[in-house]
């Protein structure tokens, strides 16, 4: 799932735009495959790997100097592709651990955590990445890089990093044989304070999610 390559034969594979586009396309292909549900037992570990690899591309974009697009106004990439099927399938596959608690900005003091969903976050990231991919495939690599860099800072970078932490936490809870606090039934559209989250969060034992999600505990 992770071998997608976009660059034509005549393009330099060492080119920054080619490398970033390949990493992003690999993520898009991989998550779309996971959402098909053909291998639900490996979904969480595989998503952990793919989001980790995507964050490497994001880090490279973040460390790069500001990318200036060729045109003053962004060319119209056309309508956004529908991601509802991907979101719904991921929510079904990840149902026991889809909802997690997130703090949007760790540098804002006393910022209360809010419930979020891995399935929503992943499709939000996919939407941002696809937008830039349209530019790249249309022969506008600088425009694509500008969009990926801008949206990394403004949206998908923080969203993907939060998702990565949630996925890592699930794997750690299972492998270390620790009870996992779940946010069963919480409304992710509602901004809930820390006390509310603590009082309403259910307790789900690791063994209840380990087998369905293909995770094994450390002995």
């Amino acid at each position: 799932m992770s071998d997608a390559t976009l660059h034509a034969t005549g393009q330099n594979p060492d080119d920054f735009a080619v490398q970033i586009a390949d990493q992003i396309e690999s993520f898009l292909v991989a998550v779309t495959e996971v959402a098909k549900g053909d291998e639900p037992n490996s979904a969480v570990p595989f998503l952990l790997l793919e989001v980790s690899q995507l964050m490497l591309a994001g880090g490279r974009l973040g460390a790069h100097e500001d990318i200036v697009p060729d045109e003053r106004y962004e060319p119209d990439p056309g309508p956004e592709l529908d991601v509802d099927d991907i979101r719904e399938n991921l929510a079904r596959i990840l149902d026991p651990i889809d909802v997690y608690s997130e703090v949007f900005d760790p540098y804002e003091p006393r910022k209360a955590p809010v419930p979020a969903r891995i399935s929503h976050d992943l499709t939000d990231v996919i939407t941002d990445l696809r937008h830039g991919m349209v530019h790249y495939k249309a022969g506008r690599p600088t425009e694509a890089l500008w969009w990926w860099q801008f949206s990394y800072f403004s949206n998908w970078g923080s969203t993907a990093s939060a998702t990565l932490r949630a996925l890592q936490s699930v794997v750690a809870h299972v492998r270390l044989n620790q009870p996992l606090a779940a946010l069963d039934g919480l409304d992710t559209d509602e901004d809930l304070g820390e006390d509310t989250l603590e009082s309403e969060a259910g307790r789900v034992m690791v063994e209840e999610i380990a087998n369905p999600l293909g995770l094994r505990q450390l002995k």
Side-chain angles (χ1 to χ4, degrees), residues 41-210:
N41 290 341
S42 60
V44 170
F46 195 75
L47 288 174
L48 176 64
L49 175 62
E50 292 300 324
V51 178
S52 297
Q53 293 177 333
L54 177 66
M55 291 308 298
L56 173 60
R60 296 180 67 192
L61 287 165
H64 198 281
E65 62 184 6
D66 288 349
I67 298 168
V68 180
D70 295 328
E71 303 180 30
R72 181 176 180 182
Y73 298 103
E74 180 187 8
D76 185 4
E80 301 286 356
L81 296 177
D82 187 20
V83 294
D84 286 346
D85 286 345
I86 296 177
R87 180 186 297 108
E88 292 170 3
N89 288 342
L90 287 174
R92 174 178 51 80
I93 294 169
L94 301 173
D95 178 57
I97 47 90
D98 192 26
V99 178
Y100 69 99
S101 179
E102 164 62 0
V103 175
F104 286 112
D105 190 339
Y107 285 99
E108 287 190 30
R110 300 181 182 84
K111 188 69 174 180
V114 296
R117 289 186 179 273
I118 295 175
S119 57
H120 288 200
D121 287 351
L122 287 174
T123 47
D124 192 23
V125 171
I126 286 174
T127 298
D128 272 350
L129 299 181
R130 279 180 172 178
H131 184 99
M133 190 60 69
V134 172
H135 289 308
Y136 184 82
K137 290 183 175 180
R140 299 187 292 267
T142 304
E143 190 74 36
L145 286 174
W146 169 82
W147 171 259
W148 285 327
Q149 185 185 60
F150 167 76
S151 55
Y152 169 76
F153 288 125
S154 63
N155 185 48
W156 75 261
S158 59
T159 302
S161 62
T163 305
L164 177 61
R165 183 170 183 179
L167 291 167
Q168 190 274 339
S169 178
V170 171
V171 174
H173 275 288
V174 173
R175 298 295 298 277
L176 297 176
N177 193 22
Q178 295 175 343
L180 181 68
L183 304 181
D184 295 329
L186 292 183
D187 182 1
T188 54
D189 293 326
E190 182 179 358
D191 188 2
L192 300 177
E194 185 174 3
D195 292 340
T196 305
L197 287 175
E198 182 177 354
S199 63
E200 293 191 23
R203 299 291 291 177
V204 175
M205 297 301 294
V206 171
E207 55 265 26
E208 295 180 7
I209 67 170

